[in-house]
Amino acid sequence: MEELEALRADALAQLEAVDGADALEQWRIDVLGTKGRLKALTPGMKDVPKEQKPQAGKLLNEVKSALETAFADRSKTVAASGGSSGPAAGASAGTTGPLLDVTEPGISPGLGGRHVLTRTMDELAEVFARMGFSISQGPEVEDEWHNFVALNIPEDHPARDPLENFYIDGKHLLRTQTSTVQIRTMENASPPLKIISMGRVYRPDEVDATHSDMFHQIEGLYVDRNVSMVDLKTTLLQFAHAYFGADAEVRLVPSFFPFTEPSAEMYVRMHVKGTLQWVELGGCGMVDPNVFEAVGYDPEQWSGFAFGLGIERIAMRKYGIPDIRWFYENDVRFLKHFA
Ligand code: FA5
């Protein structure tokens, strides 16, 4: 019985000093294991005088249970402090179970989202698809024919000044407008046709809150017999209603573009920061007969309208984005807000 008491005191003191899961496991083997110190005292029970046996048996059980409880408690504190060799060490410590709880919710992998410009383009494609427009595409590096000549922009026009464009060589430049796709589409297809085209355009404009030197446009082109300004305004009105809401209004203000006649600027009246405002979104007009001739369409037979709108400007209005530069900075807070 004295030996049992000595084992209890000694083992508990050692347990207190145990450092880490490996040492704890070693303590368990030494003290409670099948060849451990407690087990080693059991054979001695048969030498205990008969009258003391019940007392000795009771003490043996008491010491065993005290050591097991102390071990379980110590395991919890070792687990909480991380142990020394990770979950496996805790798992082998026995009574406390594994440190890795597989039923805990995991860390979900971060999912990407569409950029707000991509989302806007998807929305625009859907609105115009419902009106019967299909999608056409063209290259960002263009020749002078598609960016200027076929669009009725003559050699001496200020828009062709090298300072107004990103020329790559004497004959090629980054396109300044998606109107180039009007030409490419008409060169490759016979009328009637009804297309939109969206993509990047480049201009050496000074960058500020509403201007960028790279931005996106959406181009629309409808060619058929007897197309009129009424078709143009109706289409733009339907777009404005579908995209900005049923109370949006459209106003066409006379303007000039070499490739349309007559030409207009498109304004939409919509809610901006709680007040109704007229907002300019882009240009439009009836396709100039010279453009039809450049692509081999007979202007006596065919007529059409075209429009070109700034996609950033549309998205800024739709989502209340005050600065165009935010689209390109890839600030995670901005990206997450719209994801
Ligand atoms: C044009 O680019 C014509 N191609 C539009 C057109 C197409 C007219 C078909 C007639 C028929 P403009 O240069 O105005 O037009 O540009 C159209 C729109 O692009 C502008 O209203 C504006 O919304 C956007 N935009 C123009 N410059 C910038 C810029 N630096 N940064 C951001 N958006 C711009």
Side-chain angles (χ1 to χ4, degrees):
M1 284 168 73
E2 272 170 25
E3 279 175 39
L4 274 171
E5 285 297 358
L7 170 64
R8 168 153 61 182
D10 184 44
L12 287 178
Q14 280 180 351
L15 186 62
E16 203 53 39
V18 146
D19 182 21
D22 291 344
L24 182 65
E25 173 65 354
Q26 194 53 53
W27 181 93
R28 186 189 67 77
I29 293 166
D30 289 344
V31 177
L32 298 171
T34 43
K35 293 181 182 156
R37 289 162 67 191
L38 188 64
K39 208 73 178 176
L41 290 182
T42 321
M45 286 298 285
K46 66 178 185 314
D47 302 322
V48 176
K50 199 173 169 221
E51 59 284 8
Q52 287 185 6
K53 263 204 171 115
Q55 218 186 328
K58 197 168 160 240
L59 182 64
L60 178 68
N61 285 337
E62 204 184 280
V63 170
K64 184 169 183 258
S65 136
L67 292 174
E68 282 174 346
T69 309
F71 172 74
D73 290 348
R74 191 73 182 101
S75 297
K76 280 184 210 147
T77 52
V78 169
S81 65
S84 68
S85 38
S92 65
T95 53
T96 51
L99 299 183
L100 177 69
D101 182 353
V102 292
T103 64
E104 283 249 319
I107 301 163
S108 54
L111 276 186
R114 279 179 305 166
H115 191 277
V116 63
L117 275 175
T118 311
R119 190 163 127 189
T120 305
M121 287 192 266
D122 291 348
E123 291 163 354
L124 293 174
E126 201 198 309
V127 167
F128 281 103
R130 275 186 280 173
M131 291 193 260
F133 287 83
S134 55
I135 291 187
S136 203
Q137 275 178 336
E140 290 177 24
V141 174
E142 266 298 3
D143 51 39
E144 290 188 303
W145 168 259
H146 292 95
N147 203 78
F148 299 125
V149 183
L151 285 167
N152 200 31
I153 304 175
E155 188 92 48
D156 54 357
H157 194 282
R160 293 180 66 164
D161 189 323
L163 292 176
E164 300 294 325
N165 299 285
F166 290 115
Y167 270 92
I168 284 168
D169 58 33
K171 297 269 168 243
H172 296 87
L173 70 161
L174 296 177
R175 68 179 177 189
T176 55
Q177 49 188 348
T178 43
S179 300
T180 52
V181 187
Q182 288 185 38
I183 305 302
R184 288 192 174 271
T185 308
M186 288 192 281
E187 281 174 339
N188 292 311
S190 309
L193 46 89
K194 200 171 185 185
I195 60 106
I196 56 161
S197 185
M198 292 180 282
R200 295 189 188 95
V201 299
Y202 303 83
R203 297 181 190 178
D205 288 351
E206 198 168 321
V207 176
D208 61 23
T210 52
H211 293 86
S212 172
D213 45 17
M214 184 285 294
F215 59 98
H216 297 70
Q217 286 188 334
I218 174 168
E219 193 80 10
L221 174 69
Y222 174 41
V223 182
D224 206 335
R225 296 181 199 278
N226 304 318
V227 178
S228 72
M229 281 296 274
V230 175
D231 299 304
L232 171 60
K233 182 154 183 190
T234 308
T235 302
L236 293 177
L237 188 63
Q238 281 178 351
F239 154 65
H241 283 173
Y243 200 66
F244 293 110
D247 58 349
E249 291 175 52
V250 167
R251 187 161 72 182
L252 298 187
V253 177
S255 183
F256 175 80
F257 295 98
F259 33 91
T260 45
E261 181 57 37
S263 303
E265 300 279 359
M266 176 201 183
Y267 284 81
V268 178
R269 190 163 186 249
M270 60 175 104
H271 285 279
V272 180
K273 287 184 198 147
T275 59
L276 272 174
Q277 285 179 26
W278 286 103
V279 176
E280 192 241 300
L281 291 184
C284 60
M286 304 305 294
V287 179
D288 192 289
N290 289 344
V291 174
F292 280 146
E293 269 163 17
V295 295
Y297 283 13
D298 180 358
E300 297 297 323
Q301 276 196 56
W302 302 104
S303 50
F305 69 66
F307 58 84
L309 316 176
I311 295 180
E312 279 82 351
R313 302 271 173 93
I314 293 173
M316 286 165 86
R317 294 305 175 196
K318 173 92 173 180
Y319 295 110
I321 298 165
D323 194 315
I324 197 169
R325 290 166 289 203
W326 292 8
F327 288 112
Y328 322 113
E329 282 168 357
N330 283 334
D331 185 320
V332 186
R333 291 166 299 178
F334 177 80
L335 298 177
K336 276 195 176 155
H337 185 74
F338 292 102

